[in-house]
Amino acid sequence: MTDYFDKIHNVVILGSGPAGYTAAIYTSRATLDPLLIEGEADPTGDQPGGQLMLTTDIENYPGFPDGIEGAELMAHFRAQAERFGTTIISGKATGVDLSSSPFSIWISDSDNIDKPIRSHSLIIATGAHSLRLNVPGEERLIGHGVSTCATCDGFFFRDQNIAVVGGGDSAFEEAIFLTHFARHVTIIHRRDEFRASHIMVERARSNDKISFLLSSRVVEILGSTKVEGLKIEDVRTGAHSTLGVTGLFVAIGHEPNTSVFKGQLNLDGNGYIITQPDSTKTNVHGVFACGDVQDSIYRQAITAAGSGCMAALDAEHWIRENVS
């Protein structure tokens, strides 16, 4: 890995997934010789390739009429980036200095602990992770009945009884969306009141296919190879019961992977990187952000890939103008 520390790169891409790999494809085809640091697995569920690595079948990504598994799709992205000359190394940014260019990036998988990778420009594609319940069965059944994305996976639950955990607008939006496929949707919330807006709550209450299980929490997801039910605890009495469902959507929020950039980049109230309108530019010249790390609304593979393209084009233009 020593060679990576002995030069100033044109562009370093932090993170993989659709955004990072697409940025790599475009910058490598532009002969910018990008270095992509693909991340590493950690307890939050992050891993090289992003959240699609936790998804089995993907049927809404254009170009694959019969669908494709998430890990396979990311393998295609990665191979295409490498085909055009992207250098990919494993590791995770543990520190950055964006106060002046060339920027400095320290990574976790480095033998040169005190020596940073240096780059004229930086594309941040570190993504976001879905908050988890952290209950038995969840890790085992992610992608096998447990999901964090109704838009991605709702189609697979046609005419089934499923549940959504959460009490905010996102949970209600997912529950209402899922009624287009499921036989019945149960919203499970640990409190007896919701954080969701009044209009979203009323829409759900008026939907005959939605019911509520309040003051309750999921304490275990049942099933060995697929979801077969949920063990529910009444938070007031401690009594346990079983809810018979074949799918569970966890909608308790997302957290962007931006902790290493705090104090150096402008972040919104939820920690997402703020980019300029119609651009991937951040408040620091030469630093660009794409994918879920700056998108709290759409969070789709194709929108992430699109913004990865935008970041690459923005970075190429910036390099041509500012790096001699």
Side-chain angles (χ1 to χ4, degrees):
M1 185 176 287
T2 303
D3 292 343
Y4 308 133
F5 298 90
D6 293 340
K7 62 180 287 188
I8 299 176
H9 301 271
N10 282 319
V11 57
V12 165
I13 301 167
L14 287 181
S16 45
Y21 287 141
T22 301
I25 291 167
Y26 273 78
T27 52
S28 57
R29 291 184 75 251
T31 67
L32 295 179
D33 192 24
L35 172 66
L36 185 147
I37 303 170
E38 66 178 353
E40 58 187 6
D42 67 22
T44 69
D46 289 329
Q47 58 182 300
Q51 295 187 69
L52 287 190
M53 298 297 289
L54 303 175
T55 303
T56 49
D57 296 318
I58 299 172
E59 295 194 333
N60 58 0
Y61 198 90
F64 299 93
D66 297 321
I68 186 171
E69 290 195 354
E72 184 182 0
L73 180 60
M74 287 301 91
H76 287 316
F77 272 64
R78 192 181 198 275
Q80 191 171 357
E82 289 183 306
R83 173 194 169 196
F84 292 113
T86 300
T87 300
I88 301 176
I89 63 174
S90 296
K92 188 173 183 178
T94 57
V96 297
D97 182 356
L98 308 180
S99 61
S100 61
S101 182
F103 306 120
S104 297
I105 305 105
W106 289 265
I107 63 172
S108 57
D109 196 28
S110 169
D111 294 329
N112 299 282
I113 296 175
D114 296 323
K115 192 173 183 180
I117 290 173
R118 295 182 298 163
S119 180
H120 292 298
S121 68
L122 178 65
I123 295 176
I124 300 170
T126 49
H129 60 271
S130 301
L131 299 179
R132 303 284 189 86
L133 298 175
N134 295 318
V135 299
E138 183 178 35
E139 188 68 27
R140 180 177 69 253
L141 295 171
I142 281 283
H144 300 279
V146 176
S147 173
T148 59
C149 179
T151 308
C152 309
D153 299 329
F155 177 84
F156 301 109
F157 294 87
R158 285 189 177 276
D159 202 33
Q160 298 181 39
N161 294 325
I162 60 178
V164 174
V165 174
D169 276 347
S170 293
F172 277 78
E173 288 170 3
E174 297 220 336
I176 293 169
F177 174 81
L178 289 166
T179 60
H180 297 299
F181 307 100
R183 180 186 306 128
H184 190 82
V185 179
T186 301
I187 296 177
I188 304 170
H189 187 44
R190 59 184 176 176
R191 298 187 177 90
D192 58 6
E193 295 181 351
F194 301 109
R195 301 186 312 277
S197 59
H198 176 74
I199 190 170
M200 293 302 298
V201 174
E202 288 306 306
R203 285 176 182 172
R205 290 193 186 280
S206 64
N207 192 315
D208 293 337
K209 297 179 75 173
I210 295 177
S211 61
F212 301 88
L213 193 55
L214 305 182
S215 299
S216 301
R217 66 185 187 103
V218 177
V219 293
E220 184 177 358
I221 303 171
L222 307 175
S224 56
T225 59
K226 61 181 180 180
V227 173
E228 297 176 357
L230 306 174
K231 186 175 181 180
I232 306 293
E233 180 183 79
D234 186 313
V235 298
R236 298 162 301 188
T237 67
H240 286 175
S241 61
T242 299
L243 180 66
V245 295
T246 53
L248 173 66
F249 288 79
V250 181
I252 57 176
H254 292 78
E255 184 174 314
N257 300 319
T258 55
S259 59
V260 73
F261 309 112
K262 289 181 178 177
Q264 302 191 66
L265 293 179
N266 290 341
L267 309 177
D268 69 14
N270 294 313
Y272 290 86
I273 295 175
I274 297 173
T275 52
Q276 298 177 20
D278 302 318
S279 169
T280 63
K281 298 176 182 178
T282 69
N283 61 296
V284 175
H285 293 295
V287 178
F288 310 88
C290 56
D292 287 9
V293 76
Q294 54 85 50
D295 174 19
S296 62
I297 299 174
Y298 299 105
R299 296 196 296 263
Q300 299 296 302
I302 193 164
T303 54
S307 68
C309 166
M310 292 168 59
L313 295 176
D314 286 343
E316 179 186 1
H317 185 263
W318 186 89
I319 290 168
R320 303 298 185 208
E321 285 196 341
N322 293 278
V323 179
S324 56

